[in-house]
Amino acid sequence: MPKSRIRKKADYTPPPTKQTATIKLTNRAWVAPVMLAMFLIGLAWIVVFYVTDGSLPIDAFGNWNIVVGFGFIAAGFGVSTQWK
């Protein structure tokens, strides 16, 4: 049986070095406190509404106070997208 030819392996060429781009990081120290404040305000709004049987925080809103509380919580999630 004839011998198969030995193939010469190609020399290893390392991939070209990538140029590192300088990333300008802005100061986002305000994001975490604002996010947490929005979460806590929304939670407190809903808890106060339930504890006072709907007479507080704003009596005229009625059950819409729950929507306002969840609105604050949703705004907190919206602010959290700015966190880096």
Side-chain angles (χ1 to χ4, degrees):
M1 177 177 277
K3 271 186 151 179
S4 62
R5 283 192 274 166
I6 299 174
R7 297 181 186 171
K8 183 179 178 185
K9 292 183 179 179
D11 293 334
Y12 172 75
T13 348
T17 57
K18 295 181 180 178
Q19 298 289 339
T20 56
T22 56
I23 300 173
K24 183 180 179 184
L25 296 176
T26 59
N27 188 3
R28 302 271 174 127
W30 60 272
V31 173
V34 170
M35 175 185 65
L36 291 176
M38 295 294 237
F39 287 155
L40 292 176
I41 290 170
L43 180 65
W45 193 289
I46 294 171
V47 167
V48 166
F49 174 72
Y50 277 117
V51 169
T52 62
D53 291 327
S55 62
L56 286 177
I58 300 176
D59 191 25
F61 283 1
N63 286 336
W64 284 97
N65 279 305
I66 297 170
V67 175
V68 172
F70 278 113
F72 276 111
I73 293 171
F77 278 113
V79 170
S80 72
T81 61
Q82 300 297 315
W83 195 0
K84 290 187 179 184

